[in-house]
Amino acid sequence: MVEEEPHLNYEVLEALRQIAQEKNVNRDLVIETLEMGLISAAKKRFGTGDNVEVNFDNSSGEIIVEAVKEIVADDSVEDPGIQIGVTQARKADTDAKVGGELRLRLNFADFGRNAIQTTRQVLVQRVREAEREKIYEDYQGRIGEIISGTVQQISRGDILVNLGRTEAVIPLKEQIRKERYRQGDPIRAYLHDVLRTAKGPQVVLSRTHPAFLEKLFQLEVPEIYEGVIEIKAVSREPGVRAKIAVYSNDARIDPVGACVGMKGSRVQAVVRELSSERIDIVPWSDDEAIFLSRALNPATVRRVVIDRREKRMSAIVDDDQLSLAIGKEGQNARLASQLTGWHVDIMTETRYEEIQAERLATTVPLAEVAGTGQVTRDRLEASGIMSANDLVRVSLNTLLNVPGIGETTAEKLRETAQEIVNAKVSAYREEKALLQAEAEEAKSTENTSKNDE
């Protein structure tokens, strides 16, 4: 059995090399793991443990396993696994002395089938863990990239994608609804996240993420990849419609034209990838009003009113442009709001004037809010809160930033202001409805009189 040891050692080292190469893990880690396995096997086979040393000779292909034992007096051996009597020690080394150490060579081939099996199990487990960690680190560093793979199967609505080294998943919520895939179909998606699970790293892909659209344009438009054109914002309703705001750092290059491409070739390549998702390319502007007007294309906006405190913009359009600006089921308005990052109201001039008239008529002075003394009112006004209506509109955090107002006081002030404002608005609307009814009745009476004549 001992004569077979060099051949066996060579086979083990060759196996280590293949494992390291196939599993794409560090060879030193594989060797360290085998070392742990051999120590465990030695403990089971020879009753030794922590005192076992394993050395690898890469040049000769030899694995040397030694047990280091303390030399003690013959009648002082308490643990044969780590101690050896001086008489027995001198059979191996004539210079052995009490208090010294003796290195005893353990034949690797004598470990036995079970011990070798234990070593193999430890090695396989550690290599698997190392491989999982390597995959996790590799894909963690690739978050934000477009990943290509092959559909492996559909499981409970989720698409499992074979990436070669590992498997990824496109959850149902990250899929474009109208798309259908079959096993073996090629697929591209955005690497959204990498999760640690009991079964190993879970690579999560998405085809609905706004950044997927951005990355696709980066692939199709060299000017974006080179940084000449910037994508400032993206909004999507996956598979249906999207808006993308672009800006050129070079005045000579039209950002919209560059993204569209010759005869629409560039944008159409993206549209095909996204299952005919309609894409509006919007020229970005740092002027919020101009940007919103462009974002609401194809509707024409007459003017934009900006409320910076509430981060709200009102787009005023003609009557015949209202439905176009809002879009089917509010889609155009939603995408414009997402693209600009502002809350957007779309209305006609008449409706805007009605709202302004109501706001003016129902403004309640701070003095009418119980619990607001002169000092409190001065502090509120210094913070830009000029009326009870403002108390209702501002956030709780804004109120808490006013000196002398705590959470309890802020909530009470908002509650009191809300009651007063609601009563004022209700009274105004009731009076307006009454006047409108009277006007309609008068008009109806007038028409009846004319008909009688």
Side-chain angles (χ1 to χ4, degrees), residues 399-411:
L399 272 181
L400 293 177
N401 288 329
V402 177
I405 295 183
E407 188 170 347
T408 303
T409 303
E411 290 177 350

Side-chain angles (χ1 to χ4, degrees), residues 182-214:
R182 293 180 296 180
Q183 187 175 9
D185 286 348
I187 190 169
R188 289 199 297 177
Y190 175 79
L191 179 48
H192 177 51
D193 201 1
V194 184
L195 308 174
R196 293 185 187 271
T197 70
K199 295 181 179 180
Q202 178 68 74
V203 179
V204 182
L205 304 179
S206 172
R207 284 182 58 80
T208 62
H209 200 286
F212 183 44
L213 177 61
E214 185 175 341

Side-chain angles (χ1 to χ4, degrees), residues 142-155:
R142 296 181 65 188
I143 287 178
E145 293 183 12
I146 290 181
I147 302 293
S148 298
T150 305
V151 175
Q152 188 164 298
Q153 70 178 93
I154 311 296
S155 176

Side-chain angles (χ1 to χ4, degrees), residues 157-279:
D158 296 342
I159 301 174
L160 303 183
V161 182
N162 184 354
L163 300 180
R165 289 175 55 202
T166 189
E167 184 183 88
V169 62
I170 306 180
L172 185 60
K173 66 178 182 178
E174 301 294 341
Q175 299 171 28
I176 296 175
R177 291 191 177 184
K178 63 183 178 181
E179 291 184 337
R180 297 292 180 269
Y181 289 94
R182 293 180 296 180
Q183 187 175 9
D185 286 348
I187 190 169
R188 289 199 297 177
Y190 175 79
L191 179 48
H192 177 51
D193 201 1
V194 184
L195 308 174
R196 293 185 187 271
T197 70
K199 295 181 179 180
Q202 178 68 74
V203 179
V204 182
L205 304 179
S206 172
R207 284 182 58 80
T208 62
H209 200 286
F212 183 44
L213 177 61
E214 185 175 341
K215 290 293 180 180
L216 288 172
F217 267 102
Q218 194 176 91
L219 290 176
E220 296 296 333
V221 184
E223 292 87 347
I224 294 177
Y225 180 80
E226 293 165 1
V228 178
I229 293 175
E230 293 181 49
I231 296 177
K232 292 289 191 176
V234 176
S235 59
R236 286 184 72 191
E237 292 201 354
V240 183
R241 192 175 177 187
K243 289 180 183 287
I244 180 170
V246 292
Y247 175 77
S248 176
N249 292 309
D250 187 337
R252 297 169 299 176
I253 297 177
D254 172 22
V256 175
C259 291
V260 172
M262 186 71 70
K263 297 182 179 179
S265 59
R266 292 175 175 178
V267 70
Q268 283 305 314
V270 178
V271 168
R272 283 193 297 271
E273 176 64 43
L274 299 177
S275 301
S276 301
E277 185 171 315
R278 179 183 168 188
I279 301 173

Side-chain angles (χ1 to χ4, degrees), residues 366 368-373 376 380 388 391-392 394-396 399-400 404-421:
L366 283 174
E368 293 186 21
V369 181
T372 57
T376 301
L380 288 169
L391 271 176
V392 174
V394 299
S395 66
L396 183 61
L399 272 181
L400 293 177
I405 295 183
E407 188 170 347
T408 303
T409 303
E411 290 177 350
K412 188 174 181 180
L413 286 174
R414 282 165 61 87
E415 184 179 341
T416 304
Q418 184 75 68
E419 291 177 0
I420 297 172
V421 171

